[in-house]
Structure formats: structure tokens, C-alpha cells
């Protein structure tokens, strides 16, 4: 979860939104959005650590596999979108 939350994509998104913010209202809204994401991420990760203790080792392995599959599908969609933007793949 950490690379998705604080990786190059997240940093680029914040920089892009910051450069497009025209006034202090939009900059404030961006800061509030960042704070809400930080708060929600903290609680989701904290609660998931507690929930993982209740799962059996088999359930944890199945969950890890499903999450890996989900991550691979998101990565493939990013690749397809990038190729489509470069006009290498026709939709």
C-alpha cells in the first residue's frame, strides 16, 4: 500500500493539482483532501492489521493472491491506458 500512497504517481498527482489550483480555496481543498486520504489510510491499515490476526493462514494466503491479482489487473489497465494515449492501441 505504501508505494501507491506515497509513490511517484501520488506525488505527481498532488503537484499537478497544486499547479492547477487557482486560488486559496482550491489549495485549501487540496490540503483537506490530502488530510482526509491520510486519515482514511491510517485507519484502514490499522484496522486491517487487527483483522489479519483473526484470519487463518489459509485465508491470509488466499487474500494475498486475490490482492496480487487485483494489483496486476490495475497495472495492466494503466499500461493499456498509456498505450491508448500514445495511439498504439485502437479502442
Amino acid at each position: 500500500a505504501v508505494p501507491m500512497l506515497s509513490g511517484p504517481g501520488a506525488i505527481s498527482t498532488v503537484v499537478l493539482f497544486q499547479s492547477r489550483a487557482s486560488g486559496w480555496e482550491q489549495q485549501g481543498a487540496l490540503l483537506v483532501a490530502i488530510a482526509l486520504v491520510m486519515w482514511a489510510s491510517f485507519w484502514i491499515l490499522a484496522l486491517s492489521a487487527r483483522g489479519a490476526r483473526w484470519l487463518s493462514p489459509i485465508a491470509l494466503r488466499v487474500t494475498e493472491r486475490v490482492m496480487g491479482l487485483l494489483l496486476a489487473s490495475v497495472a495492466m489497465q494503466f499500461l493499456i491506458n498509456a498505450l491508448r494515449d500514445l495511439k498504439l492501441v485502437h479502442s
Side-chain angles (χ1 to χ4, degrees):
V2 174
M4 295 289 284
L5 292 173
S6 62
I11 294 169
S12 299
T13 302
V14 171
V15 169
L16 177 69
F17 283 147
Q18 179 66 30
S19 68
R20 291 186 180 182
S22 60
W24 65 270
E25 299 93 0
Q26 291 180 349
Q27 291 179 354
L30 178 63
L31 290 175
V32 168
I34 292 170
L36 287 174
V37 168
M38 288 171 47
W39 179 81
S41 299
F42 171 77
W43 284 108
I44 289 169
L45 292 173
L47 292 174
S48 67
R50 286 187 182 176
R53 287 186 232 147
W54 297 335
L55 294 175
S56 69
I58 294 172
L60 281 175
R61 277 191 232 122
V62 168
T63 304
E64 287 173 4
R65 302 285 175 150
V66 169
M67 291 299 127
L69 183 62
L70 181 63
L71 179 62
S73 66
V74 169
M76 285 304 299
Q77 188 61 51
F78 281 151
L79 179 64
I80 290 168
N81 291 346
L83 293 174
R84 188 176 298 137
D85 288 344
L86 291 172
K87 306 292 186 214
L88 295 177
V89 174
H90 301 289
S91 45

